[in-house]
Amino acid sequence: MSDPDFPNELGNIPYSKILGAPLNAAVEANAEASETAAAFIQDVGFTETDSFGSFNAQREPVYVNFHYKKQATNEQGTVETQEFEMKIPLLLLLHVPYFEVDNVTVDFNVSLNSTHMRQVEEEGGGGGSVGGLVGGIIGFNVGASYQKTDKRQQKIERSYDQSVHIEAGSIESPQGVTRLLDVLEQTITETSEDEVSNGDTDDT
């Protein structure tokens, strides 16, 4: 019986697919995460428009208006309770979901076991006949049969074990997004009811 060819067994394992598939999945996950963040900024933080001022822009920021009251000094120098309105870009109130897969650990174990098995089967049988007494000699005929079967088997057991550990976390926004948020922060406005009544509103 030939010995098991373990090197050939191991050589037939598609390591490139087994080890490369989790890495390719991590790359695709990073790409999808970036696309999700870009779509989030465009769909949530901006709205479609035909024009924006003197610019032929396709989108303008979405603002959230807050109304509140606080103590303020009016034009006559008297402190009174006034109503204010604040406009804040919606994108500044939300967290842009930037995530990245930063660690991928792939553990792949292969176990090959060779088991030799031997099975022996034996079969036996016999028969006889006794004749009459002739001249003081007993005639005796014996017939016998015997069969032996020797079976040998070789069994190779394969065991595969794979575990993939992936770590992902939130990362800082790209420089362009940071610059965008800085510009939007400058558009925050606070308007009092006196300014509204005097027509001194800023529609930025």
Side-chain angles (χ1 to χ4, degrees), residues 17-96:
K17 294 182 179 179
I18 295 174
L19 302 179
L23 301 180
N24 291 333
V27 173
E28 294 177 359
N30 282 339
E32 292 181 2
S34 298
E35 293 176 359
T36 300
F40 178 86
I41 294 175
Q42 179 172 289
D43 298 337
V44 176
F46 295 87
T47 182
E48 294 184 358
T49 180
D50 295 334
S51 63
F52 186 68
S54 59
F55 298 96
N56 187 21
Q58 295 181 349
R59 290 181 176 271
E60 61 179 318
V62 176
Y63 286 89
V64 177
N65 297 345
F66 293 93
H67 295 269
Y68 54 95
K69 294 181 180 181
K70 69 176 182 178
Q71 296 292 323
T73 303
N74 57 22
E75 296 180 352
Q76 290 76 28
T78 304
V79 178
E80 63 179 4
T81 301
Q82 296 184 14
E83 183 177 354
F84 288 82
E85 178 187 70
M86 179 175 288
K87 294 178 59 178
I88 300 179
L90 176 61
L91 202 58
L92 296 180
L93 303 176
L94 304 175
H95 177 70
V96 179

Side-chain angles (χ1 to χ4, degrees), residues 144-197:
S145 63
Y146 183 78
Q147 181 179 0
K148 179 179 180 180
T149 303
D150 188 351
K151 297 182 180 179
R152 297 175 183 268
Q153 297 179 352
Q154 178 179 334
K155 180 180 179 182
I156 297 179
E157 297 180 354
R158 303 171 179 83
S159 177
Y160 303 97
D161 181 24
Q162 182 179 19
S163 63
V164 180
H165 178 69
I166 299 178
E167 294 182 1
S170 178
I171 60 175
E172 295 184 359
S173 302
Q175 185 175 0
V177 176
T178 303
R179 175 60 176 164
L180 171 64
L181 298 179
D182 292 340
V183 172
L184 291 177
E185 186 177 0
Q186 298 175 12
T187 66
I188 298 177
T189 60
E190 184 184 42
T191 307
S192 67
E193 59 181 350
D194 290 342
E195 292 174 337
V196 174
S197 61

Side-chain angles (χ1 to χ4, degrees), residues 99-144:
F99 289 90
E100 182 180 62
V101 177
D102 53 15
N103 186 22
V104 178
T105 302
V106 181
D107 296 322
F108 180 63
N109 299 319
V110 181
S111 177
L112 298 177
N113 299 320
S114 177
T115 303
H116 295 272
M117 301 175 61
R118 180 177 179 180
Q119 181 179 359
V120 178
E121 297 180 357
E122 297 182 356
E123 295 180 0
S129 61
V130 179
L133 180 61
V134 178
I137 300 177
I138 298 177
F140 187 78
N141 296 323
V142 178

